[in-house]
């Protein structure tokens, strides 16, 4: 009985202590919702467990970077959209590893609907000491596109973010010094799910031995993928760009990012592919050539293999997730136009779309007849909307991908008129015009017969 | 004072326990979504239309310790699953599934149906009747079993993969 009574007393005491401490914290946080702060901290801790950070030199050396938020020095703000902002200095070995001075700050933007965090690795930048920024300025640097902190009247335009904010490496090779001791150092964040790296993000930090000895700030010699930098890719999406050729990557990434500004069926298909978590599209590039049915290469009259513009393969459903691989031909698109490359990309996207909409993958052959019948005008409109090229040119590019269709092969007459309808609009083009108009986009820019490259934008521009 | 300490330790322990253990549903969802990440059909041959196999996870539990063994019953699994699936399965905390049992077997059936519309050998896309018994047997996991352990066997929802291996130009 006495034990029971003691237990009740102790329990009441513990409860009182807990209540007292809760109230005490409330006071020091100036009535900020303590639960929300705790929620944000807990959320970040869970996120941090699923990611690791390294400083990497090229593709080889890497040093694990520690990140321990100093929660005692936490500063809280409220953003204009009412989301809670937490700014916390982080104890790290980053500056010890890089032998530089600076600060690492964690900025968390937390609301019911949107939760994000950024780590700002700020190096002292010569004379301009940009490390002494207040919490509101750090928030603005971490989330530059967001609205300002409520009631804040700071002019953030004066903040020198160059060299201290996170930025993707540029692929500009001009002025690059290729000294053997030149080393580029990157901040690499890896995100893990169930022991597997699902996303890796590289941010250029600084270079050493590249002509700016001892400089603690990024030089203008932005490294290229050849130097070990990854090709720039958009944020993790359900369309993954795994291409290796810099020009192809640049064009594909730009097209995917611009897709939101394009209207029509084709753009909607890409939007769906990119947003739907049950769809994964992987885009690769490679040396791909036409083959005979027996697997041997198809050869031209000179005995050369014939490059392919693109192919869609491995269209599959894995445990309810639709997946497809798209490969763009490196040889075919070398020195050609962006329009030609994107025409190839959307053609393969349509193949993937036909697989996705098929009732049964095993009993449905998606082919060029269906594309010729239903998708040429949407594809042409997409090219017209993306690049502003004339509809005739866009239709020619779309048709060139289905030259094996019965409709196309049905006539050898160059004056044969193809008529396509899209709602109220009708488009017509002759077969001769199709060949002439599309060819100019596909001809290599280094081909002597391609005088002045009058059609399209060069793939690497 | 000693009593206070004991109660406090107990409270902390129970709170920690409650948070660290994931529910049975979460364990199964983790297996399902996690294994899918290790599937790769790149090395799969086109000519055979159907493949089956099963992964068996044997969990031995003693107190707080958990020993896990992972087996596959078909070469097809080596083709379709990245070898990292084994450490992945071994990293899972199965304690919520164990209850008070000291042994549990999980069987995860995996099937793959492949076709190629341009492969002349595969135009019919039919499975031979004679291959069906072994396909079914593989699907349910024909592992050598002994003693009463088979009573603690749990079959999970099968992982099904359908793939069109046709290369579309």
């Amino acid at each position: 009985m006495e034990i029971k009574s003691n237990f009740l007393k102790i329990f009441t005491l513990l409860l009182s202590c807990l209540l007292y401490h809760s109230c005490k914290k409330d006071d020091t946080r100036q009535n900020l919702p303590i639960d929300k702060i705790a929620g944000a901290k807990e959320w970040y801790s869970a996120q941090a467990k699923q990611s690791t950070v390294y400083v990497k030199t090229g593709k080889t050396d890497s040093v694990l970077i520690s990140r321990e938020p100093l929660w005692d020095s936490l500063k809280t703000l409220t953003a204009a959209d009412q989301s809670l902002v937490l700014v916390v200095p982080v104890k790290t070995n980053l500056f010890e590893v890089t032998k530089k001075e600076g600060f690492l700050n964690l900025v968390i933007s937390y609301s019911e609907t949107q939760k994000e965090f950024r780590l700002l690795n700020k190096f002292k930048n010569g004379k301009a000491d940009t490390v002494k920024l207040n919490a509101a300025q750090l928030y603005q640097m971490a989330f530059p596109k967001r609205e300002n902190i409520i009631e804040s009247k700071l002019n953030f335009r004066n903040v020198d973010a160059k060299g201290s904010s996170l930025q993707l490496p540029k692929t500009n090779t001009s002025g690059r010094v290729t000294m053997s001791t030149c080393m580029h150092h990157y901040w690499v964040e890896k995100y893990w799910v169930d022991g597997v790296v699902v996303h890796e993000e590289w941010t250029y930090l600084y270079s050493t031995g590249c002509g700016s000895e001892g400089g603690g700030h990024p030089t203008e010699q932005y490294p290229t993928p050849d130097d070990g930098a990854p090709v720039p890719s958009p944020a993790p999406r359900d369309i993954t760009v795994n291409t290796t050729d810099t020009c192809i990557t640049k064009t594909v990434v730009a097209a995917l990012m611009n897709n939101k500004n394009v209207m029509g069926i084709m753009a909607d298909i890409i939007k769906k592919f990119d947003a739907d978590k049950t769809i994964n599209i992987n885009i690769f590039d490679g040396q791909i050539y036409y083959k005979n049915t027996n697997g041997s290469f198809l050869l031209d009259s000179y005995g050369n293999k014939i490059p392919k513009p693109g192919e869609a393969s491995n269209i599959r459903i894995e445990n309810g997730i639709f997946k497809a691989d798209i490969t763009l031909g490196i040889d075919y698109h070398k020195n050609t136009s962006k329009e030609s490359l994107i025409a190839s990309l959307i053609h393969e996207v349509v193949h993937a779309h036909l697989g996705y909409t098929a009732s049964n993958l095993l009993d449905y052959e998606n082919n060029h007849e269906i594309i010729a019948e239903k998708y040429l005008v949407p594809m042409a409109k997409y090219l017209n909307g993306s690049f502003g090229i004339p509809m005739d040119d866009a239709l020619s590019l779309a048709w060139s991908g289905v030259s094996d269709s019965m409709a196309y092969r049905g006539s050898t007459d160059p004056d044969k008129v193809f008529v396509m309808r899209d709602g109220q609009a009708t488009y017509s083009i002759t077969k001769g015009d199709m060949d002439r108009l599309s060819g100019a986009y596909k001809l290599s820019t280094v081909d002597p017969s391609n005088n002045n490259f009058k059609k399209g934008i060069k793939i690497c521009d | 004072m000693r009593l206070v300490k004991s109660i406090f330790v107990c409270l902390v322990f129970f709170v920690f326990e409650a948070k660290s253990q994931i529910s049975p549903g979460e364990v199964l969802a983790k297996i399902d979504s996690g294994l899918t990440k290790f599937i790769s059909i790149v090395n799969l041959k086109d000519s055979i239309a159907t493949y089956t196999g099963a992964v068996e996870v044997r969990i031995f539990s003693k107190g707080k310790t958990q020993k896990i063994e992972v087996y596959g019953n078909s070469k097809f699994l080596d083709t379709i699953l990245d070898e990292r699936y084994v450490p992945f399965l071994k990293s899972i905390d199965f304690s919520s599934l164990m209850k008070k049992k000291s042994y549990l077997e999980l069987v995860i059936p995996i099937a793959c149906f492949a076709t190629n519309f341009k492969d002349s050998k595969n135009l019919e896309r039919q499975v031979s009747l004679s291959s069906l018994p072994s396909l079914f047997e593989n699907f349910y996991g024909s592992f050598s079993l002994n003693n009463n352990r088979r009573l603690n066997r749990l079959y999970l929802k099968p992982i099904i993969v359908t793939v069109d291996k046709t290369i579309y130009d």
Side-chain angles (χ1 to χ4, degrees), chain A residues 155-256:
Chain A
N155 180 3
F156 296 113
R157 285 180 189 168
N158 293 333
V159 175
D160 177 16
K162 190 184 175 188
S164 52
S165 65
L166 298 176
Q167 49 185 258
L168 282 171
K170 294 177 184 175
T171 53
N172 178 16
T173 56
S174 62
R176 184 162 60 89
V177 181
T178 52
M179 289 165 64
S180 59
T181 52
C182 175
M183 302 258 266
H184 306 301
H185 306 266
Y186 304 89
W187 169 271
V188 180
E189 292 183 18
K190 288 185 181 184
Y191 297 89
W192 302 78
V193 174
D194 298 332
V196 180
V197 177
V198 292
H199 178 62
E200 193 171 300
E201 208 166 290
W202 288 51
T203 309
Y204 175 64
L205 279 180
Y206 61 94
S207 299
T208 50
C210 307
S212 63
E213 288 300 332
H217 57 90
T219 66
E220 292 302 318
Q221 299 141 12
Y222 288 99
T224 68
D226 294 339
D227 300 319
V231 285
S233 63
R237 288 174 166 187
D238 302 304
I239 297 180
T240 313
V241 181
N242 306 293
T243 49
T244 55
D245 181 277
T246 312
C247 298
I248 289 179
T249 304
K250 202 172 150 183
T251 305
V252 169
V253 168
L256 292 176

Side-chain angles (χ1 to χ4, degrees), chain A residues 105-326:
Chain A
N105 283 285
L106 167 68
V107 185
I108 302 172
S109 170
Y110 189 83
S111 71
E112 284 301 315
T113 51
Q114 200 174 19
K115 302 171 179 65
E116 280 184 90
F117 77 89
R118 300 268 191 283
L119 282 160
L120 288 177
N121 45 359
K122 295 161 51 50
F123 288 89
K124 267 195 173 176
N125 191 356
K127 285 179 185 173
D129 188 355
T130 58
V131 297
K132 288 175 185 169
L133 299 176
N134 64 32
Q137 288 169 315
L138 287 166
Y139 168 73
Q140 192 66 25
M141 281 180 70
F143 302 101
K145 288 180 183 170
R146 298 276 184 83
E147 290 178 75
N148 290 353
I149 294 297
I150 203 161
E151 291 174 4
S152 173
K153 289 175 183 170
L154 287 168
N155 180 3
F156 296 113
R157 285 180 189 168
N158 293 333
V159 175
D160 177 16
K162 190 184 175 188
S164 52
S165 65
L166 298 176
Q167 49 185 258
L168 282 171
K170 294 177 184 175
T171 53
N172 178 16
T173 56
S174 62
R176 184 162 60 89
V177 181
T178 52
M179 289 165 64
S180 59
T181 52
C182 175
M183 302 258 266
H184 306 301
H185 306 266
Y186 304 89
W187 169 271
V188 180
E189 292 183 18
K190 288 185 181 184
Y191 297 89
W192 302 78
V193 174
D194 298 332
V196 180
V197 177
V198 292
H199 178 62
E200 193 171 300
E201 208 166 290
W202 288 51
T203 309
Y204 175 64
L205 279 180
Y206 61 94
S207 299
T208 50
C210 307
S212 63
E213 288 300 332
H217 57 90
T219 66
E220 292 302 318
Q221 299 141 12
Y222 288 99
T224 68
D226 294 339
D227 300 319
V231 285
S233 63
R237 288 174 166 187
D238 302 304
I239 297 180
T240 313
V241 181
N242 306 293
T243 49
T244 55
D245 181 277
T246 312
C247 298
I248 289 179
T249 304
K250 202 172 150 183
T251 305
V252 169
V253 168
L256 292 176
M257 292 180 93
N258 185 51
N259 187 64
K260 61 180 182 296
N261 304 320
V262 186
M263 306 292 283
I265 294 169
M266 205 58 237
D268 289 345
I269 291 171
I270 295 173
K271 280 173 201 160
K272 171 147 183 77
F273 278 4
D274 213 10
D276 195 324
K277 294 290 165 207
T278 63
I279 302 172
N280 289 161
I281 306 291
N282 288 298
I283 302 174
F284 301 94
D285 58 0
Q287 307 289 357
I288 47 174
Y289 303 95
Y290 285 102
K291 284 182 178 175
N292 295 304
T293 46
N294 65 4
S296 63
F297 287 110
L298 199 63
L299 303 175
D300 64 15
S301 51
Y302 300 102
N304 298 317
K305 290 184 277 188
I306 303 169
K308 254 181 171 182
E311 61 186 35
S313 59
N314 292 326
I315 297 175
R316 60 205 188 268
I317 298 169
E318 289 174 359
N319 216 16
I321 310 287
F322 177 83
K323 297 181 181 178
D325 298 339
I326 289 173

